[in-house]
Amino acid sequence: MLSRVFGFGRRSFESLSEQEILALAISSEEDDGRIYRAYADGLAETFPQSAKLFEAMAEEEDGHRDALIELFRKRFGERIPLIRREHVKGYYERKPDWLVRPLGIEAVRRQAEAMERQAYLFYVEAAKRTSDASTRKLLDDLAAAEQGHESSAHALEQQHVPGDVRVEEATAEQRQFILTYVQPGLAGLMDGSVSTLAPIFAAAFATHDTWQTLLVGLAASIGAGISMGFTEVASDDGKLSGRGSPIKRGLTVGIMTTLGGLGHALPYLIPHFWTATAVAAVVVFFELWAIAFVQNRYMQTPFLRAAFQVVLGGALVFAAGVLIGNA
């Protein structure tokens, strides 16, 4: 770990020979080709047209690698030393695709642009460090190729991802985000914010004891979060409904349920009962406003209607808690 942070055991780029620079370029092109193919595989099921774009880009990286290998053989023979990015101090690194999943269309395209820009800068610097005419020419050509990949990628995008397809993919990505994260999160926030109102405020007005109320609130919030999370995971595996990973949905709904309840439970850390209750009431207002905002923003529900529904439901549950607590 320390060797990666401080660069121990790694060579500086300036210390590399021409042979080592070519070996580094070969391994870099191989890695980039693998990454583009991994992007294509990750996008193939949901975004097939964009997957074709990255397959084409991977083939271009293969061509660069082959040209570099041919030059290496002519100059240095068949044995190519294994030099990778992580062996060179200060050299750019690539995130493997499994670290950036789920693969969003725009995020992957931005990552591809950054990869091509970094490769261009590498070839420019590498060309400065070689005296062999054929090597320098190839590195300059590859630098020009990487620099031109922006227009090349744009042309490939027009071929494989025309405007209407891109709109469809963006719509599908937005829909998947809503199904996997927004809907479960909203359900959790509503359940945590509204359903825990009754037990928390019932305990508050029954005991007028902030510590006991806090314990009830913690139990209700955490218990509801665990219950909602397991229910979401068990109710739908996402394969037929298209709602995505049940683990992601379960974690989202569980966390949001817990947070929704804790929002108006934690004010009872304040030892003065009426101060804690007033703060909890203010928190409830903001929780209900957040629910209405999310409904309006992602579910296309008119804000006033969403606010009325949430406030009405919250008021009924709150009233039930107060009445039971005062009984």
Side-chain angles (χ1 to χ4, degrees), residues 14-169:
E14 291 74 15
S15 70
L16 298 181
S17 65
E18 292 185 20
Q19 181 182 15
E20 290 167 335
I21 287 174
L22 283 178
L24 176 60
I26 291 168
S27 67
S28 297
E29 293 290 352
E30 288 177 343
D31 286 347
D32 287 355
R34 290 192 188 100
I35 290 172
Y36 286 144
R37 286 193 171 87
Y39 286 167
D41 292 341
L43 297 171
E45 182 177 351
T46 310
F47 308 112
Q49 296 303 316
S50 285
K52 292 180 182 178
L53 167 66
F54 286 104
E55 285 285 1
M57 293 179 71
E59 291 177 3
E60 288 196 24
E61 301 301 321
D62 291 345
H64 295 175
R65 178 204 60 200
D66 293 344
L68 286 163
I69 290 175
E70 184 61 28
L71 176 63
F72 189 96
R73 283 173 173 165
K74 289 179 180 178
R75 292 198 59 198
F76 304 109
E78 295 293 327
R79 297 184 182 274
I80 302 175
L82 179 60
I83 302 178
R84 308 185 72 86
R85 294 184 177 99
E86 58 267 26
H87 301 154
V88 181
K89 188 187 303 182
Y91 196 65
Y92 64 86
E93 295 184 0
R94 299 277 195 246
K95 281 187 177 181
D97 76 294
W98 56 270
L99 284 179
V100 295
R101 288 180 182 269
L103 298 178
I105 291 293
E106 294 304 321
V108 170
R109 286 175 181 152
R110 286 195 298 271
Q111 181 66 16
E113 289 177 4
M115 289 171 63
E116 299 299 342
R117 183 167 57 253
Q118 291 167 345
Y120 162 72
L121 294 174
F122 163 69
Y123 284 123
V124 169
E125 292 301 315
K128 294 176 183 177
R129 298 190 51 78
T130 183
S131 57
D132 179 75
S134 60
T135 303
R136 187 181 184 93
K137 181 180 185 306
L138 176 60
L139 294 176
D140 283 336
D141 290 344
L142 290 175
E146 298 291 353
Q147 188 177 35
H149 272 183
E150 183 175 357
S151 58
S152 174
H154 181 72
L156 287 171
E157 185 173 343
Q158 294 302 311
Q159 176 184 350
H160 296 301
V161 193
D164 55 341
V165 173
R166 188 163 183 172
V167 171
E168 289 176 6
E169 290 184 343

